[in-house]
Amino acid sequence: MEPCEFPHIEEQLGPILGRHGGDATRLLQILREVQDCFHFIPPEAVSCLASHLNLSRAEVEGVAGFYSFLSLTPRGEYRVLFSDNITDNMLGKAELMQYFCNKLWVEPGKVSEDNLVSVDSTSCTGMCDQGPAALVNGWPLTSLDNNRLDLVAELIRIRKPVAEWPEMLFEVRDNIRRPGMLLGEAFEPGAGIRATLARGAEATLKEVDASNLRGRGGAGFKTASKWSFCHAAIAEEEGSMICDVGGHPERFIVCNADEGEPGTFKDRVLLSSHADLVFEGMTVGARVVGARKGFLYLRGEYRYLLKPLEAVLERRRAAGLLGENILGEAGFVFDIEIHLGAGAYICGEESALIESLEGKRGRPRNRPPFPVTRGYLGRPTVVDNVETFACAARIAEKGGAWFAAMGTAQSTGTKILSISGDCARPGIYEYPFGVTVEEILRDCGTEDAHAVQVSGPSGTLVSWQEFGRRIAFEDLPTAGAFMVFHRQREMFAAAHNFAHFFAHESCGFCTPCRVGTQLQKRIMDKIAGGHGTPADLEELKQLGHILGTMSHCGLGHTAANPVLDTLKKFPGTFERKLKALSFEPAFDLDGALATARSITGRDDEWAHLL
Amino acid sequence: MSKTITIDGNEIPFAEGQTIMDAAMAAKIYIPHLCHNPEFKPHGSCKLCTVRANGRAVSACTMPAGEGMVIENKTGELDDERRAIVQMLFVEGNHLCPTCEKSGNCQLQAVAYCLDMMSPHYNHFYPPREVDASHPDVFLDRNRCILCELCVRASRDVDGKNVFGLSGRGIGSRLVVNSASGRLGDSTFAVTDRAAQVCPTGAILIKRQGFSVPIGSRIYDHKPICQVETEGKSGGEHE
């Protein structure tokens, strides 16, 4: 055995474990702190946590190995992760990252010799309206350019703690361009709860039902149905009802703020400037379903929002809007805890999110049972999107009919879109449902728009011929992403980027997604490298079919969407890259020598087979 | 009157709480599967047992049977999709049947034959995977691991030892061992554990037993897996 490098791990982890009360459901939160402390999860820490949390070592290692922001091997003291969304790339991400690496003499994906810095890519960090963006030790850097990166490199070189870096590097703007009833109208904290208490829980559920509010995460399940299923469900264990300490059946309200879909950043803005509305909606939901505890699952990329959000919670507790006897109502108990993710898109899937909340690997569960009957810790749980709760707060305050008067028949209310890419005014736009793509493009200032990726890679690619289509569940459902591409953009590059995204984010549980997303990525790489053939296009279609039908969850089901959509709507972008042959071996003879070239430091003509 | 489902036109009974797979097994209908073993909690990860229930693709091993469900199982389209999944399993690991001790007793190989897989079709990934010979009685060869987690479930639920787990994510998912060194020899694993017997491939092999049953006399050498599974005690060990 190798000598133990961390002989004092017990003492070092003591305070962290103490803060979390030795609770295994907090394993992910604990691992985040260990990562911050050591810049990786040392093997000694895995053993120590396992014994204190009464878990097997393999379970702790399983969780630590699952999340992108945790690492089982050492990372740099400064870990810089460049956001790899297509919009960041359109703004020059690849060149900037190379510039930065050259500046610091470090290779992407590797740790510098002095362990000072490591640089790598990460999935979209939700700063598409102010990219190119990156994270340094988890804190967002926005609007990067060579000058800013010079400064960052210098700060790293002189080992200045990130907390002391100039604030302007971390400035995140809201960029609200078109406010509506959620973002534009004043909201008095407590108004929704007050109306709920006056009206009664049952009548409030009726209002939510009458509003026809549907989930804003994209799937569009009717919120009132979800709430009433949860309200009706009672968790049982061996024939007896599971109750909390007060003798009430336990239920939970969870707010899904794991906004990982590339191109989506509207929850970021709701949480930074309208958190009261979101927490109010959760509290209304708690009253309706009879929950006493709520969680906000905040994606790791938004850790900078943790402190401000906790301040909002504290203020609400002081105002009697959270805690015991809310607004003086005897027995109305509800409080909210914030959990941070650690870089896993799959945790946006509600059952994977629940697993992650329980401190486990974010693996989607088998369904049925659904979370509304068996969710967090096996208890009935409502999981709703940030924006859904914000809408619910408004509905509680103003009534269902008011809400239903906006939008279309099947899509009532408004939708917040996060717009990025080739437009003059990227940012946040709130529209009544039913707005056409064309109108949106006009508002955000586009010239020559050629295509829009609606609802991110898992959504729909809309070509210029379809700009008359409407944002609505009836036509183009969306979680909010709206990425614009102008005529000069190569659409293949977007599909290629998205194929890499899904391969990186597949959880690995089911065969079709674990292997299929890899195969898709490799074929797209082959085509990008100029080795593609018509047979590869057929293979992509076939893979898309397998992914779409055989996968375990929505990630796999939609992982081929961008490739299939692009093949269908922009076939030329693929065909231009193909070799005019029916077969081309996937094995790249010259590529296979890359390792040998890197070892010998050669790149001369004799080191290539062409 | 008992409740029934229909599989490929045959009406079969099921009891409340049974999955489609349970009902099919009881009726001696073969639904291809690798991660499922009726002794353990259903997992639903390999996706070979995907069937169409009332037109919707579901995993037979985890989906509860429902009164009147109409299920398609043995169709050309489903078998094409299943074959693709087996091919995916072959290329993501390092499966070299001619030199593998498990050949003829291997469920992955047997399912591939059963689904008429003639080639791996996809390009091999050739991943570097760890081999662990540290245990006195058992080899762990991750080259052949298909991540079905049967050993994880057996060790946790039957042996009460939690010797195995999964770490990593996506294509980087890997079987890990519950010991400080990560080696099987330093864990509490014993050759008598149930987990030593459940691997459907040759990832967990018992030492000093190699070729005690000669090639040609093994379980699937003469009968296809669909026949073995529906004739005998289904899903049990095949040693």
Side-chain angles (χ1 to χ4, degrees):
Chain A
M1 286 205 42
E2 287 169 28
C4 180
E5 281 183 65
F6 298 90
H8 306 296
I9 199 83
E10 286 279 342
E11 294 94 277
Q12 286 168 299
L13 296 190
I16 299 178
L17 279 159
R19 262 200 296 287
H20 296 281
D23 179 355
T25 64
R26 302 202 55 92
L27 176 59
L28 179 55
Q29 311 305 304
I30 294 168
L31 286 169
R32 284 192 56 106
E33 291 193 30
V34 175
Q35 174 83 33
D36 277 351
C37 196
F38 298 94
H39 315 299
F40 80 119
I41 314 287
E44 293 86 350
V46 174
S47 301
C48 172
L49 293 178
S51 72
H52 281 279
L53 299 173
N54 204 16
L55 295 168
S56 80
R57 210 184 168 283
E59 283 171 293
V60 177
E61 192 180 344
V63 175
F66 187 85
Y67 296 90
S68 293
F69 294 167
L70 307 176
S71 172
L72 288 161
T73 51
R75 299 288 103 190
E77 203 177 306
Y78 294 86
R79 190 182 189 192
V80 182
L81 300 173
F82 282 80
S83 178
D84 196 30
N85 189 23
I86 184 69
T87 55
D88 295 288
N89 278 284
M90 280 154 49
L91 292 165
K93 173 254 174 183
E95 297 74 19
L96 281 172
M97 183 164 148
Q98 196 52 55
Y99 174 82
F100 187 65
C101 284
N102 293 348
K103 192 112 195 144
L104 285 165
W105 280 80
V106 62
E107 268 183 77
K110 297 203 175 140
V111 185
S112 62
E113 298 280 333
D114 54 0
N115 298 324
L116 179 66
V117 58
S118 53
V119 181
D120 213 336
S121 294
T122 189
S123 297
C124 178
T125 58
M127 300 289 164
C128 322
D129 57 336
Q130 43 210 300
L135 297 169
V136 56
N137 293 354
W139 304 95
L141 299 166
T142 53
S143 309
L144 291 174
D145 55 22
N146 288 0
N147 289 336
R148 284 193 168 209
L149 287 175
D150 287 344
L151 174 58
V152 170
E154 188 52 30
L155 290 164
I156 290 174
R157 225 179 265 137
I158 61 170
R159 294 179 183 258
K160 192 145 187 109
V162 174
E164 293 167 26
W165 289 17
E167 267 178 45
M168 63 92 170
L169 285 173
F170 303 103
E171 191 200 359
V172 178
R173 279 160 289 127
D174 274 356
N175 290 332
I176 298 174
R177 315 278 185 186
R178 190 185 193 281
M181 61 101 181
L182 291 174
L183 301 171
E185 293 177 26
F187 177 76
E188 184 209 331
I193 303 173
R194 226 167 259 123
T196 301
L197 289 173
R199 196 190 288 120
E202 215 167 296
T204 302
L205 179 61
K206 282 204 179 104
E207 291 298 327
V208 178
D209 188 37
S211 76
N212 203 18
L213 171 63
R214 296 170 67 175
R216 278 3 188 192
F221 194 79
K222 200 171 162 183
T223 306
S225 306
K226 204 184 251 187
W227 288 15
S228 73
F229 290 146
C230 180
H231 178 60
I234 289 170
E236 286 185 0
E237 216 160 50
E238 288 155 11
S240 59
M241 196 163 84
I242 303 175
C243 291
D244 61 14
V245 281
H248 306 271
E250 263 194 306
R251 299 192 186 93
F252 294 96
I253 291 277
V254 175
C255 179
N256 183 347
D258 192 50
E259 185 174 51
E261 187 71 41
T264 320
F265 48 88
K266 47 112 190 158
D267 294 342
R268 181 195 91 211
V269 174
L270 274 170
L271 291 170
S272 40
S273 300
H274 301 271
D276 264 306
L277 207 52
V278 179
F279 292 140
E280 184 104 0
M282 291 175 72
T283 313
V284 169
R287 183 66 177 171
V288 170
V289 307
R292 295 155 73 88
K293 172 104 200 232
F295 292 99
L296 177 82
Y297 187 93
L298 185 65
R299 74 184 302 223
E301 288 81 347
Y302 294 167
R303 73 175 288 181
Y304 76 101
L305 289 173
L306 181 64
K307 267 204 174 141
L309 285 171
E310 285 190 326
V312 175
L313 288 177
E314 208 38 66
R315 180 162 49 67
R316 290 180 69 84
R317 284 182 199 113
L321 300 172
L322 279 177
E324 308 273 329
N325 305 328
I326 292 171
L327 286 179
E329 178 79 9
F332 183 12
V333 179
F334 182 66
D335 213 331
I336 296 169
E337 190 178 314
I338 303 174
H339 269 233
L340 271 174
Y345 166 70
I346 189 61
C347 291
E349 196 279 342
E350 60 176 3
S351 66
L353 182 150
I354 290 171
E355 289 281 302
S356 183
L357 265 185
E358 293 179 0
K360 301 178 188 158
R361 292 161 66 80
R363 163 197 282 185
R365 293 176 177 175
N366 284 306
R367 295 176 301 171
F370 291 90
V372 283
T373 55
R374 287 180 68 90
Y376 180 67
L377 303 177
R379 279 41 161 186
T381 304
V382 160
V383 184
D384 277 326
N385 179 261
V386 171
E387 190 181 346
T388 312
F389 281 121
C391 290
R394 283 290 184 194
I395 293 163
E397 182 197 4
K398 299 192 168 188
W402 166 80
F403 188 86
M406 291 173 279
T408 70
Q410 288 171 51
S411 318
T412 54
T414 61
K415 184 73 195 85
I416 304 178
L417 301 178
S418 44
I419 301 183
S420 60
D422 296 317
C423 64
R425 291 177 294 280
I428 295 293
Y429 293 71
E430 183 180 357
Y431 287 99
F433 269 112
V435 63
T436 63
V437 172
E438 202 160 22
E439 280 175 80
I440 301 167
L441 288 170
R442 208 163 37 231
D443 290 350
C444 68
T446 58
E447 277 166 39
D448 224 15
H450 198 46
V452 181
Q453 187 75 39
V454 174
S455 203
S458 76
T460 316
L461 177 65
V462 175
S463 80
W464 55 278
Q465 288 146 309
E466 309 167 89
F467 284 172
R469 293 181 68 180
R470 292 175 187 281
I471 299 294
F473 294 107
E474 298 95 314
D475 187 7
L476 285 171
T478 178
F482 193 96
M483 293 185 273
V484 184
F485 302 90
H486 67 47
R487 194 167 298 276
Q488 278 73 46
R489 296 288 176 197
E490 193 185 45
M491 293 312 294
F492 175 85
H496 189 200
N497 175 277
F498 296 149
H500 274 254
F501 167 75
F502 284 118
H504 178 68
E505 295 296 345
S506 168
C507 83
F509 174 70
C510 76
T511 315
C513 179
R514 182 180 67 240
V515 188
T517 54
Q518 277 295 318
L519 288 166
Q520 178 172 268
K521 177 182 105 170
R522 288 166 192 230
I523 296 174
M524 292 297 279
D525 286 348
K526 182 184 173 195
I527 297 171
H531 296 282
T533 67
D536 289 310
L537 303 191
E538 285 313 304
E539 197 63 69
L540 285 171
K541 290 178 195 164
Q542 192 54 33
L543 273 174
H545 172 74
I546 303 280
L547 278 162
T549 54
M550 306 295 266
S551 299
H552 180 61
C553 77
L555 191 156
H557 291 149
T558 58
N561 283 4
V563 170
L564 296 179
D565 273 359
T566 311
L567 268 171
K568 197 165 118 196
K569 297 177 184 179
F570 297 96
T573 187
F574 278 84
E575 284 156 11
R576 277 191 293 276
K577 292 197 161 294
L578 299 185
K579 285 210 158 183
L581 296 166
S582 60
F583 179 76
E584 164 88 5
F587 187 74
D588 174 0
L589 214 50
D590 185 58
L593 290 178
T595 315
R597 280 193 293 270
S598 133
I599 292 169
T600 54
R602 281 179 56 182
D603 200 23
D604 57 284
E605 135 186 44
W606 295 100
H608 286 274
L609 281 170
L610 288 174
Chain B
M1 227 184 84
S2 70
K3 297 180 174 176
T4 61
I5 55 174
T6 307
I7 300 184
D8 295 332
N10 302 308
E11 197 172 333
I12 61 163
F14 74 93
E16 199 57 49
Q18 277 192 319
T19 60
I20 296 171
M21 179 69 84
D22 295 334
M25 279 185 160
K28 300 205 177 299
I29 293 174
Y30 178 65
I31 302 177
H33 58 90
L34 282 169
C35 74
H36 185 67
N37 178 325
E39 281 181 64
F40 306 102
K41 199 173 158 224
H43 200 237
S45 67
C46 76
K47 297 296 165 197
L48 266 188
C49 74
T50 304
V51 294
R52 301 254 191 284
N54 298 335
R56 208 163 61 89
V58 299
S59 300
C61 70
T62 55
M63 178 54 80
E67 172 63 10
M69 241 180 205
V70 177
I71 290 152
E72 292 169 61
N73 170 39
K74 187 85 189 134
T75 70
E77 195 191 347
L78 276 167
D79 276 354
D80 286 348
E81 290 161 357
R82 290 168 179 156
R83 193 180 314 112
I85 287 178
V86 177
Q87 287 166 326
M88 287 181 181
L89 286 171
F90 267 91
V91 302
E92 79 159 331
N94 298 305
H95 298 278
L96 306 162
C97 298
T99 59
C100 179
E101 206 290 313
K102 193 81 170 191
S103 184
N105 286 332
C106 172
Q107 292 181 29
L108 178 67
Q109 183 191 45
V111 167
Y113 276 126
C114 172
L115 291 168
D116 296 325
M117 182 183 126
M118 304 306 285
S119 79
H121 181 76
Y122 303 114
N123 300 304
H124 284 278
F125 292 6
Y126 298 121
R129 297 235 185 123
E130 269 179 51
V131 178
D132 180 349
S134 61
H135 195 280
D137 302 316
V138 182
F139 284 117
L140 176 59
D141 186 347
R142 291 183 178 84
N143 287 296
R144 300 165 185 161
C145 177
I146 57 169
L147 304 166
C148 70
E149 292 186 57
L150 272 167
C151 59
V152 177
R153 286 176 276 165
S155 182
R156 182 190 62 209
D157 302 338
V158 178
D159 305 326
K161 287 187 178 179
N162 261 324
V163 167
F164 298 104
L166 236 58
S167 189
R169 183 171 87 195
I171 201 67
S173 300
R174 61 187 184 278
L175 190 67
V176 293
V177 170
N178 191 22
S179 66
S181 64
R183 297 191 311 169
L184 197 58
D186 296 327
S187 75
T188 56
F189 195 59
V191 69
T192 48
D193 285 359
R194 189 74 191 93
Q197 310 287 338
V198 293
C199 183
T201 72
I204 297 176
L205 283 181
I206 297 178
K207 291 182 177 176
R208 295 178 295 278
Q209 286 190 1
F211 302 97
S212 56
V213 177
I215 301 272
S217 313
R218 298 178 169 202
I219 301 166
Y220 308 116
D221 282 342
H222 300 290
K223 279 185 193 171
I225 190 167
C226 53
Q227 204 177 329
V228 174
E229 292 259 336
T230 49
E231 277 176 0
K233 199 171 108 283
S234 56
E237 69 188 78
H238 299 293
E239 298 299 331

